[in-house]
Amino acid sequence: QKEVEQNSGPLSVPEGAIASLNCTYSDRVSQSFFWYRQYSGKSPELIMSIYSNGDKEDGRFTAQLNKASQYVSLLIRDSQPSDSATYLCAVNRDNYGQNFVFGPGTRLSVLP
Amino acid sequence: DVKVTQSSRYLVKRTGEKVFLECVQDMDHENMFWYRQDPGLGLRLIYFSYDVKMKEKGDIPEGYSVSREKKERFSLILESASTNQTSMYLCASSLSQNYGYTFGSGTRLTVV
């Protein structure tokens, strides 16, 4: 089983809709979870972090974590064409919490 | 904002050459990382460092080495470049697990 799995997409949603991105991970001791956004030809940029079960909201973004089921998700409300990018899920895998493994990414396309 | 600077945006090198990729961060971060990113394979960890003079192998260290003589600088060395090392190389730094990574802009290396 791969350490971090994501649907590769592309996930297409109309402008204004909610985009839902999912990620599952295999290491039960993982404690830190991050979502990165990567535009084509650019490097990843951090958009959300979550450490506890439940929801965490930041503007139009909501991260959801369920450690029992080993999944983390990212919801983007009121999706905009500028949200079109690849979204990477990252999960820590080191006792010191500094070493992360990345999922393959989900490509999101928001249609005007 | 943390700035992670990679010295070259594009590089073209010949097979067998020794290649140095430089990365400098300006926020006194302890932790620095080198990843490569390839289509279909995602981000893969090459080497990382939690302190000056310290280095640890990641998932794909073969053919690479690193140097961290100063806290702010983490260099990736391709001892004898090969065509299968053609890739996007991304340097990242982090303060701690609670802050995630800040990535540099990347170096696209082509080995011919």
Side-chain angles (χ1 to χ4, degrees):
Chain A
Q1 182 185 1
K2 291 185 179 179
E3 291 184 80
V4 180
E5 298 194 51
Q6 298 179 254
N7 291 327
S8 62
L11 172 66
S12 296
V13 300
E15 184 174 355
I18 295 175
S20 178
L21 305 163
N22 299 312
C23 170
T24 58
Y25 60 95
S26 59
D27 188 350
R28 288 190 170 275
V29 302
S30 295
Q31 296 295 322
S32 304
F33 308 86
F34 296 87
W35 284 98
Y36 292 81
R37 176 177 62 201
Q38 187 174 24
Y39 292 114
S40 180
K42 302 293 186 182
S43 58
E45 56 179 327
L46 179 66
I47 54 174
M48 287 286 290
S49 61
I50 188 166
Y51 313 102
S52 304
N53 282 328
D55 295 0
K56 178 182 177 182
E57 187 174 318
D58 184 0
R60 295 187 296 113
F61 298 98
T62 299
Q64 300 174 318
L65 175 61
N66 184 324
K67 291 184 179 179
S69 300
Q70 294 175 244
Y71 86 80
V72 57
S73 62
L74 180 70
L75 302 178
I76 306 174
R77 290 183 300 281
D78 188 25
S79 295
Q80 301 297 310
S82 59
D83 295 325
S84 298
T86 297
Y87 290 81
L88 304 171
C89 171
V91 177
N92 82 290
R93 58 173 177 177
D94 183 88
N95 287 338
Y96 298 101
Q98 304 304 321
N99 187 338
F100 291 90
V101 60
F102 286 80
T106 297
R107 188 154 56 93
L108 172 67
S109 178
V110 180
L111 307 174
Chain B
D1 285 348
V2 177
K3 190 170 183 181
V4 180
T5 302
Q6 293 184 234
S7 54
S8 303
R9 188 73 178 96
Y10 298 95
L11 274 179
V12 179
K13 297 292 182 180
R14 295 193 178 277
T15 301
E17 277 193 80
K18 191 169 186 176
V19 181
F20 294 85
L21 303 183
E22 304 290 342
C23 176
V24 177
Q25 50 93 4
D26 66 359
M27 286 297 289
D28 205 33
H29 283 180
E30 300 287 344
N31 313 309
M32 298 188 75
F33 309 84
W34 275 105
Y35 285 83
R36 62 178 284 178
Q37 187 174 32
D38 301 285
L41 296 176
L43 281 157
R44 293 180 292 167
L45 181 64
I46 305 171
Y47 267 96
F48 59 100
S49 170
Y50 291 162
D51 201 354
V52 176
K53 304 285 187 181
M54 176 270 182
K55 58 186 178 184
E56 292 286 345
K57 293 180 179 179
D59 299 314
I60 51 164
E62 296 78 18
Y64 303 95
S65 63
V66 289
S67 172
R68 194 164 182 200
E69 297 295 320
K70 293 184 178 181
K71 191 175 185 178
E72 66 271 19
R73 186 179 298 269
F74 192 36
S75 303
L76 180 68
I77 304 157
L78 285 67
E79 299 291 343
S80 178
S82 64
T83 54
N84 63 13
Q85 292 178 311
T86 291
S87 185
M88 170 66 84
Y89 288 88
L90 290 163
C91 175
S93 74
S94 73
L95 180 62
S96 76
Q97 65 175 327
N98 296 329
Y99 293 88
Y101 290 171
T102 298
F103 283 91
S105 56
T107 296
R108 185 164 293 281
L109 173 67
T110 302
V111 182
V112 298

